[in-house]
Amino acid sequence: MREAGAEVVAVATIVDRATGAAEKIQEGAGVPYLYAFAKDELGLD
């Protein structure tokens, strides 16, 4: 997105599946990773 000229201010998703994406996004892109539910909150362990 940034290469196309967009200003990325955060990444938002509905379910955080605990795959390590949050850490990669926060460290690599330097933006907050926001989610509505963690997978364990939905019984998706």
Side-chain angles (χ1 to χ4, degrees):
M1 301 299 300
R2 287 179 173 159
E3 291 176 8
E7 179 184 356
V8 179
V9 297
V11 172
T13 186
I14 302 299
V15 178
D16 178 24
R17 299 181 302 150
T19 61
E23 293 79 12
K24 288 181 183 177
I25 290 169
Q26 290 172 343
E27 293 170 9
V31 296
Y33 177 85
L34 310 169
Y35 59 91
F37 303 98
K39 72 176 189 168
D40 60 335
E41 292 178 296
L42 301 174
L44 301 175
D45 291 328

